[in-house]
Amino acid sequence: MAATPLFRRIDVAPAYQKVADAIEREIINGRIKPGEPIGTEQQLVAQFGVNRSTVREGIRVLEEGGLIRRDSSRRLQACLPRYNKLATRLSRALILHEVTFRELFETSMTLEVASVEGAVERASEENIAELAANLERSAAVVGNPAELAELDAEFHVLMAKASQNRVLQLAREPAAQLFFPTTEMIVGGVPEGGARLVEAHGHILDAIRRRDKEAGVLWTRRHLQDWRRGFEKIASLDRSVEHTYMEHAYAARQ
Amino acid sequence: MAATPLFRRIDVAPAYQKVADAIEREIINGRIKPGEPIGTEQQLVAQFGVNRSTVREGIRVLEEGGLIRRDSSRRLQACLPRYNKLATRLSRALILHEVTFRELFETSMTLEVASVEGAVERASEENIAELAANLERSAAVVGNPAELAELDAEFHVLMAKASQNRVLQLAREPAAQLFFPTTEMIVGGVPEGGARLVEAHGHILDAIRRRDKEAGVLWTRRHLQDWRRGFEKIASLDRSVEHTYMEHAYAARQ
DNA sequence: AAATCTAGCTTTGTCGGACAAACCGATAAG
DNA sequence: CTTATCGGTTTGTCCGACAAAGCTAGATTT
C-alpha cells in the first residue's frame, strides 16, 4: 500500500450535474422566478468556471426536467413545468411497465369521480362556460369519432380544471393520456356511442351546474362504464397497453 | 429577395434532440430491452455520424428522462423509469405551482382510499407480510417521530403496492412525496400522535387481512383526518407548500 | 497451477478552441 | 417612418486533447 493519499474523492457528482443542481436550486428557492432569464451560456461558463460543453450538458438536464426553456430567440429562461410534458414521461413509463387497461380504467374511474366531485363543489362560472362550449362543439360532431374523441379528452381536462385542485389535475394526467386516446376506437365501434357520450357529458355538466354531487358521480360512473363496455368489445382489459397503441398516443404528444 | 432557396429549413430539431429521439424510439418500441447496453459514446458517434459532444447532450436528455442509466462501470444501458424519480419531478412542479396543502390533502384522501380498496381486494400474502413487518417496526419506534414518519410513508407505499395497480401506485406518488414528509412534524406535535398512527395502521392491515373493504376505508379516512387535524394545529391548509418545507423533501430525495 | 500484480487499452468527464447559421441591435437608405 | 444592411452575439456543432477510473490480459509470485 503506497503512501496514503489522505482525504480525497469527495467530489462524487460530475460537474454538469452540479451546474444543473445549482441552477435548479435557484429556481426552486424562488431566487429566479419563472419567466426570468438565466443568462447566456457564456455567462454561465464564467460564473461556474467550467467549460461550455459542461454547461450545455447541465442545461440539457434542466430543459428535459421542464425547469428551463428557450424562448423564441433561444435565450434561456426559467419556466413553470407544464404538467402535460411531465405527464408524457409518466405515460411513457407506464407503457414500459406494461400496465394493463384494467389498471388504467380502475384508476381513471377513481380520479374522474374525484374530479367531478370537486367540480360540483367548486366550479366557477368560467369553468362552466368552458364545459358548456365544449359540449356544444361535441354535439356538433357527434358523428365524427376522431373529433369527438378529442373533445371528450378536453371535457375531462376541463372538469379536472373545474375542480380547482391542481394536484388532482396533475395526478390524473398520466393515466388520462393513455386512457382517452382509445375513445376514438370505441365511439367508432359502437352504434349510438357518440350520442351516449354527449348525453353523459350533458348530464354531468347539468349536475355541476345544479351542484348535485350524486348525479355528477352517477353520470361520470356511467360514462366510464360505457367506455369499458365499448373497450371490451374490442380488446381484453387485461392486455397490456400495446406498443401499437402507444404509437398513437406518441404521435399526438408534440 | 435573392434566388429563392426553394425548400429548406425542415430540419428543425437540433442534432442532440434527434439522437435522443432515435434512442428513445428504440427503447419504447422494445428493440432495446431494459437492462440491455446502449453502446459506448464512441459507438454512438460512429452510428449517428455526429460529434461526441452532441451525443453526450442527447444522452443527458435521456438520462434525465429516466430511460437510460449508467451501470456500475458507467456504461450506458436502457432501464425501466423509476416511478420515484419521475415523481420527484412532478413534486417539484407542484411546489413551483404553489399548490396548497388542502389540494394535497384532498387528492391524497382520494388516492389512499383507492389504494386501500385495491389492497383489500387483491393483496397477496407477500404484500400482507410486508405490511405486517412494517407495522411491527413502527410499533417499536412509536416514540421517535422521525423514524415513525419514514415508516408511515413506507406503509402507504406498500399499501399502494398491495393494490396491485401500478397506475395507482404512480398516480399517488407525486402527492405522497409532498404529503408524507409532514408526518414527522405532526406526530411530534401531537401527544399520543404516534400511538394513534400505529393503531390506525393496525386496523387497516387487519381490514386488508379480513378483506373487509368498509373497515379499511373507514380507518384510512380516520388516519388521514388525524393527519389533517394535526396539520391544522401547525399551519393553515390553504397555505402553499412552503419553500422551507420543500427543502426538507428535497434533501431526502437522493 | 492458482492467485496476484502490473501495464496497457478503453471509456468517461472535462477542457480549449473553432466556425457556420441564426438572431439582435443599430445604423444607413429609401 | 419604413426598409435594408452590417456587425456583434449566441447557439449548435465540430475537432482534438488529456486525466482519471475501469477493464483486460499478460507477467509475476507463491
Side-chain angles (χ1 to χ4, degrees):
Chain A
M1 193 165 287
T4 329
L6 202 56
F7 298 155
R8 279 209 319 165
R9 181 66 177 167
I10 305 275
D11 192 32
V12 286
Y16 69 86
Q17 189 65 55
K18 286 176 159 180
V19 168
D21 286 346
I23 298 176
E24 172 173 342
R25 242 192 317 279
E26 294 302 294
I27 295 176
I28 301 250
N29 290 349
R31 278 195 282 277
I32 301 177
K33 294 250 181 304
E36 284 177 13
I38 306 291
T40 68
E41 294 179 4
Q42 212 57 254
Q43 288 173 313
L44 294 176
V45 165
Q47 289 174 45
F48 290 112
V50 298
N51 191 270
R52 190 157 78 100
S53 306
T54 306
V55 166
R56 281 175 65 83
E57 288 189 39
I59 287 173
R60 290 288 106 74
V61 170
L62 293 175
E63 222 169 21
E64 178 66 10
L67 270 183
I68 69 178
R69 50 181 277 250
R70 315 197 90 110
D71 64 13
S72 63
S73 73
R74 296 216 170 112
R75 280 196 222 302
L76 295 169
Q77 64 178 214
C79 69
L80 244 47
R82 295 278 308 110
Y83 293 162
N84 220 294
K85 182 185 173 191
L86 295 178
T88 301
R89 301 279 151 218
L90 291 197
S91 301
R92 199 177 60 183
L94 289 176
I95 292 167
L96 287 175
H97 282 269
E98 300 185 315
V99 301
T100 65
F101 275 105
R102 187 181 299 281
E103 293 169 273
L104 216 48
F105 175 77
E106 187 181 272
T107 305
S108 292
M109 179 66 94
T110 297
L111 291 168
E112 295 305 318
V113 166
S115 273
V116 80
E117 286 178 338
V120 166
E121 271 182 41
R122 294 182 296 270
S124 69
E125 281 309 313
E126 193 189 333
N127 294 144
I128 291 175
E130 286 176 333
L131 284 164
N134 173 286
L135 184 60
E136 206 170 306
R137 278 185 289 151
S138 299
V141 297
V142 77
N144 182 333
E147 286 188 48
L148 189 58
E150 201 164 317
L151 287 168
D152 176 54
E154 187 189 279
F155 185 89
H156 289 268
V157 168
L158 291 173
M159 207 164 76
K161 192 174 156 204
S163 79
Q164 311 277 9
N165 184 326
R166 288 161 295 177
V167 181
L168 180 59
Q169 268 175 267
L170 179 129
R172 68 171 286 284
E173 192 69 41
Q177 277 195 13
L178 295 182
F179 184 83
F180 286 102
T182 55
T183 307
E184 180 178 348
M185 310 191 303
I186 292 166
V187 169
V190 179
E192 297 304 309
R196 288 180 65 89
L197 184 149
V198 173
E199 187 197 349
H201 282 195
H203 283 288
I204 291 171
L205 174 56
D206 194 47
I208 292 174
R209 273 209 177 98
R210 299 197 330 267
R211 309 286 173 188
D212 181 344
K213 192 178 282 190
E214 229 173 290
V217 171
L218 177 71
W219 279 100
T220 300
R221 283 223 151 86
R222 275 193 193 160
H223 183 35
L224 292 193
Q225 291 292 358
D226 259 6
W227 175 91
R228 176 174 169 156
R229 264 194 296 278
F231 183 88
E232 286 186 300
K233 285 186 186 166
I234 301 173
S236 160
L237 275 176
D238 290 309
R239 241 177 45 187
S240 82
V241 176
E242 294 283 329
H243 292 151
T244 52
Y245 159 62
M246 181 283 309
E247 275 163 15
H248 181 93
Y250 201 68
R253 103 178 165 166
Q254 283 293 29
Chain B
M1 194 163 290
T4 327
L6 204 55
F7 299 152
R8 278 208 318 166
R9 180 66 178 167
I10 306 276
D11 194 31
V12 284
Y16 69 87
Q17 188 65 55
K18 286 178 159 176
V19 168
D21 286 346
I23 298 175
E24 173 173 340
R25 241 192 317 279
E26 293 302 293
I27 296 176
I28 300 253
N29 291 349
R31 278 195 283 278
I32 302 177
K33 294 251 182 302
E36 285 178 12
I38 306 290
T40 69
E41 294 179 3
Q42 212 58 255
Q43 288 172 313
L44 294 176
V45 166
Q47 289 175 44
F48 290 112
V50 298
N51 190 271
R52 190 157 79 98
S53 306
T54 306
V55 166
R56 280 174 66 82
E57 289 190 38
I59 287 172
R60 289 289 105 73
V61 170
L62 294 175
E63 223 169 21
E64 178 64 10
L67 269 183
I68 68 177
R69 51 181 277 247
R70 316 195 89 109
D71 65 12
S72 62
S73 72
R74 296 218 168 112
R75 281 197 221 304
L76 294 169
Q77 63 177 214
C79 69
L80 245 45
R82 294 279 309 112
Y83 293 162
N84 218 292
K85 182 183 173 193
L86 294 177
T88 300
R89 303 282 148 214
L90 291 198
S91 302
R92 201 176 59 182
L94 289 175
I95 290 168
L96 287 175
H97 281 269
E98 300 185 314
V99 300
T100 65
F101 273 106
R102 186 181 299 282
E103 292 169 273
L104 216 47
F105 175 77
E106 187 181 272
T107 305
S108 291
M109 179 67 93
T110 298
L111 292 168
E112 295 304 318
V113 166
S115 272
V116 79
E117 285 179 339
V120 165
E121 270 181 42
R122 295 183 295 270
S124 69
E125 281 309 313
E126 193 189 332
N127 295 144
I128 292 176
E130 286 175 333
L131 284 164
N134 173 286
L135 184 60
E136 205 170 307
R137 278 184 289 150
S138 299
V141 296
V142 76
N144 181 334
E147 285 187 50
L148 188 59
E150 202 164 314
L151 286 168
D152 176 53
E154 187 190 278
F155 185 88
H156 289 268
V157 168
L158 290 174
M159 206 164 77
K161 192 174 157 205
S163 79
Q164 312 277 8
N165 183 327
R166 288 160 295 177
V167 181
L168 180 58
Q169 268 176 267
L170 179 128
R172 69 172 285 286
E173 192 70 41
Q177 277 195 13
L178 294 183
F179 185 83
F180 286 102
T182 56
T183 308
E184 180 177 348
M185 310 191 304
I186 293 166
V187 169
V190 179
E192 297 304 309
R196 288 180 66 90
L197 185 149
V198 173
E199 188 197 349
H201 282 195
H203 283 289
I204 292 170
L205 175 54
D206 194 47
I208 292 174
R209 275 209 178 97
R210 300 197 330 267
R211 308 286 173 190
D212 181 345
K213 191 178 283 191
E214 230 174 289
V217 170
L218 177 70
W219 279 100
T220 300
R221 283 223 151 87
R222 276 193 193 160
H223 182 35
L224 291 193
Q225 291 293 357
D226 258 6
W227 175 91
R228 176 175 169 157
R229 263 194 297 277
F231 183 87
E232 285 187 301
K233 285 187 187 167
I234 301 174
S236 159
L237 275 176
D238 289 309
R239 243 178 43 188
S240 81
V241 176
E242 295 284 329
H243 293 152
T244 52
Y245 159 61
M246 181 283 310
E247 274 163 16
H248 182 95
Y250 200 68
R253 102 178 167 169
Q254 281 293 32

